[in-house]
Amino acid sequence: MGSRIKHGEYGLGVVTNVTSKHYWVTFIENGLETIDLDSEFEVIESVEDEVDTISFYEVETTLKNMLKQWSDISEIIPIGDRWKGGKLILEPKDTNLASKEIPIDTFFHKIVMVRDRIRVMEQKINSSNLDDQDKVDLQQYITRIYGSLTTFNILFKIKEHQFSGAKIK
């Protein structure tokens, strides 16, 4: 990995990963390509036994994990099967006013986004320079927020994705 090559079809590139069957090469003009180990190419600069060399896969995996932990990008959370395609109907007491219909899938997506943003806030609080007592106080508020959102647990397909507030012992 790290060796610079010249390939007849793809041009100049750098080997970024090696598997049992392929070299992963990032070419200047063609981007990432996989080429067979027995492909013909010219080695322009060979890199041997570099200690700090890591694969493209390792970089990609690390970046995905960091983004998942520190951004508001969320994993796919499935809605319960019985709610798929359903709708939420809000009826005002005053019959002269129009009701509002919202697809449950849209409403559920917004609930999941709220949950994910609370998690990000929680991580930012935990890694902040606040003193321990302030962190504990803010964590208690977050726990109460989760408790308030347990009403929506019925919408989640998988129990582990549901909200939970403070546990009573």
Side-chain angles (χ1 to χ4, degrees):
M1 290 191 311
S3 297
R4 294 179 359 163
I5 68 167
K6 182 176 182 181
H7 189 271
E9 182 180 347
Y10 301 116
L12 298 174
V14 176
V15 177
T16 55
N17 195 12
V18 180
T19 67
S20 61
K21 296 181 181 179
H22 299 98
Y23 292 112
W24 292 25
V25 183
T26 302
F27 290 99
I28 294 172
E29 294 183 14
N30 294 293
L32 181 65
E33 295 286 342
T34 56
I35 59 174
D36 292 335
L37 291 178
D38 60 355
S39 294
E40 290 192 28
F41 54 85
E42 176 187 349
V43 177
I44 298 171
E45 180 182 340
S46 179
V47 176
E48 307 263 342
D49 298 329
E50 283 289 317
V51 176
D52 293 338
T53 304
I54 61 172
S55 70
F56 177 77
Y57 175 79
E58 291 170 309
V59 171
E60 182 181 38
T61 302
T62 301
L63 182 57
K64 281 180 184 177
N65 289 339
M66 287 173 55
L67 287 172
K68 184 177 179 182
Q69 181 176 359
W70 295 104
S71 76
D72 61 356
I73 296 173
S74 62
E75 63 180 305
I76 304 298
I77 305 296
I79 190 170
D81 292 336
R82 69 180 174 166
W83 303 110
K84 287 180 183 174
K87 58 186 168 186
L88 181 66
I89 303 170
L90 302 173
E91 296 273 349
K93 181 177 180 179
D94 184 346
T95 56
N96 294 323
L97 299 174
S99 62
K100 173 77 174 171
E101 289 186 10
I102 303 168
I104 288 183
D105 297 292
T106 301
F107 179 75
F108 178 72
H109 176 69
K110 291 182 184 292
I111 294 292
V112 170
M113 287 187 341
V114 166
R115 185 197 65 179
D116 291 344
R117 290 186 177 135
I118 293 170
R119 286 181 176 171
V120 171
M121 181 173 46
E122 194 171 14
Q123 290 167 348
K124 289 186 182 217
I125 289 168
N126 288 334
S127 64
S128 74
N129 293 329
L130 293 170
D131 66 47
D132 288 343
Q133 186 57 52
D134 288 338
K135 287 182 182 181
V136 168
D137 292 344
L138 290 171
Q139 282 293 342
Q140 288 175 347
Y141 281 111
I142 288 173
T143 300
R144 288 186 208 122
I145 291 168
Y146 284 137
S148 298
L149 293 169
T150 57
T151 301
F152 303 111
N153 282 347
I154 192 170
L155 297 172
F156 289 86
K157 182 174 187 172
I158 301 170
K159 186 171 178 55
E160 288 77 32
H161 291 152
Q162 295 179 348
F163 296 104
S164 64
K167 306 280 191 270
I168 299 173
K169 296 180 181 177

